[in-house]
Amino acid sequence: MSDNEDIDDIPDLATCQALCEEFAAVTGTDTACAQFFLQDRKWDLCKSVDAYFDAKNCEDDVQVLDDGDNEEVIVTFEAFASALASASGNPTLVPSNFKFVSWNIDGLDDRSLKPRMKQVCNIINCELPDVVHLQEVIPATYSYINKYLSGYKCIPGNDPDLNDYFTVTLLRKNSVSYESHDVVPFEGSTMGRTLLVTKVKLGSVHMMFLNTHLESTGPFAEQRKRQLQSTFKMVMDCDKTTTVIFAGDLNLRDKELVEIGGLPAGLQDLWNSFGKKEELQYTWDGLRNTNIDLPNSCFTRFRFDRIYLRHSEPSHISLRHFGLIGLEKIRSCGRFPSDHWGLIAHFDI
């Protein structure tokens, strides 16, 4: 190909700028990244976007893209930072903010399990929360999570080889310093429920995360209330220099919280703190979530999943955003990732 033919392949400046901006908007990157992909694919937007997502979704940390005029070696920052973190034993980022997710991913429903778990992992890889609480993880999905969320340290709340389902806490390797964890069984639990307690540092902030899936269904309300009370006590007894987040699928009915005397003084319910918005209230929502197919489920709505926060003294974090994730159906199977919406919270440090 002659030099003149190469020049003829380049659009005018205004078109180049428009293509770069559209690429950046679609991929969530910037115009420098856009130009990198576009210029080697003769400014074909579709091919460039496809190449970007192929590189982003690749399981390998290093990928050679050969779909353009020249081969390109892609090393993702996330993979590079995670490798540094693993090698040094320390995170490579000093956060000024952090994201937290809690989500019952419904591993007990085997329908469309693989595409649903793939979407769960895609959402986590897209949002990049620093700490994640998962509930209803089963051995098969635990293996999948370990494989496709390699940027996270994966801590199970029960032995994956001995339990049908359990909780998992994920810590992002390049932003969270792991200190310790403990699995506390709930005394007398009929369903083998536990409390997974993880201590970490985010920058200079000491934090403790309590992940649980409390006893399920109406007939087990008394066990559930005892589990909740014992966890509240652990939260409030924690050293005041530590920020505590207690979150998970609590299976809680509002009347049960009233029956045990309400929230302890100093413990915040983040849904309340963010304005009690109705569109964010129900996490197990038979009106909107078609994965729920129990009799009369279209009339059943509960706020089973909750995030509670106890500040340290002095306080080191502040809530900036509270929302839901997992709200879009998966095209290939026509189902949502889970029968629960996930909770996501953004904090400033």
Side-chain angles (χ1 to χ4, degrees), residues 148-264:
Y148 290 102
L149 296 177
S150 59
Y152 288 85
K153 178 180 178 65
C154 196
I155 305 170
N158 263 327
D159 188 337
D161 296 326
L162 300 177
N163 292 271
D164 293 333
Y165 66 100
F166 43 91
T167 59
V168 166
T169 294
L170 303 175
L171 307 178
R172 192 177 172 204
K173 293 176 182 177
N174 63 4
S175 62
V176 181
S177 294
Y178 167 79
E179 294 187 331
S180 66
H181 77 275
D182 191 20
V183 178
V184 182
F186 285 119
E187 185 177 352
S189 172
T190 303
M191 302 176 186
R193 302 297 167 86
T194 64
L195 183 65
L196 175 54
V197 182
T198 306
K199 295 182 179 180
V200 307
K201 282 180 68 178
L202 274 157
S204 61
V205 178
H206 290 271
M207 301 193 70
M208 183 167 78
F209 289 87
L210 291 82
N211 179 6
T212 195
H213 185 189
L214 298 186
E215 219 79 6
S216 303
T217 74
F220 291 91
E222 292 305 314
Q223 286 192 35
R224 182 164 52 250
K225 288 190 288 185
R226 289 195 295 272
Q227 293 166 358
L228 187 64
Q229 286 176 306
S230 68
T231 306
F232 280 165
K233 185 177 187 306
M234 181 179 290
V235 170
M236 302 314 293
D237 286 347
C238 183
D239 187 288
K240 294 297 187 284
T241 62
T242 300
T243 301
V244 184
I245 288 180
F246 164 37
D249 177 4
L250 308 187
N251 280 304
L252 195 61
R253 283 70 168 169
D254 288 334
K255 67 176 184 178
E256 295 169 1
L257 184 60
V258 173
E259 289 166 358
I260 65 169
L263 287 179

Side-chain angles (χ1 to χ4, degrees), residues 73-100:
V73 178
I74 307 295
V75 181
T76 66
F77 173 76
E78 185 71 16
F80 178 66
S82 295
L84 285 178
S86 298
S88 66
N90 296 307
T92 56
L93 303 178
V94 179
S96 59
N97 52 69
F98 79 95
K99 291 183 185 179
F100 172 77

Side-chain angles (χ1 to χ4, degrees), residues 269-288:
D269 181 328
L270 294 193
W271 177 70
N272 290 341
S273 300
F274 203 65
K276 297 184 178 181
K277 296 180 179 180
E278 185 177 359
E279 65 270 24
L280 305 177
Q281 182 173 5
Y282 301 108
T283 60
W284 200 80
D285 189 350
L287 189 63
R288 294 196 292 167

Side-chain angles (χ1 to χ4, degrees), residues 319-332:
L319 179 66
R320 177 162 45 89
H321 171 76
F322 178 86
L324 302 176
I325 57 174
L327 301 174
E328 295 184 8
K329 283 188 175 180
I330 304 162
R331 290 183 182 179
S332 63

Side-chain angles (χ1 to χ4, degrees), residues 27-63:
T27 61
T29 58
D30 55 26
T31 54
C33 179
Q35 186 172 350
F36 175 81
F37 280 89
L38 285 162
Q39 65 184 5
D40 199 45
R41 291 166 184 82
K42 304 186 188 304
W43 295 86
D44 185 308
L45 182 62
C46 289
K47 286 183 179 179
S48 301
V49 169
D50 286 345
Y52 169 81
F53 282 112
D54 283 345
K56 183 176 176 63
N57 295 329
C58 179
E59 294 178 24
D60 300 325
D61 294 345
V62 178
Q63 183 184 14

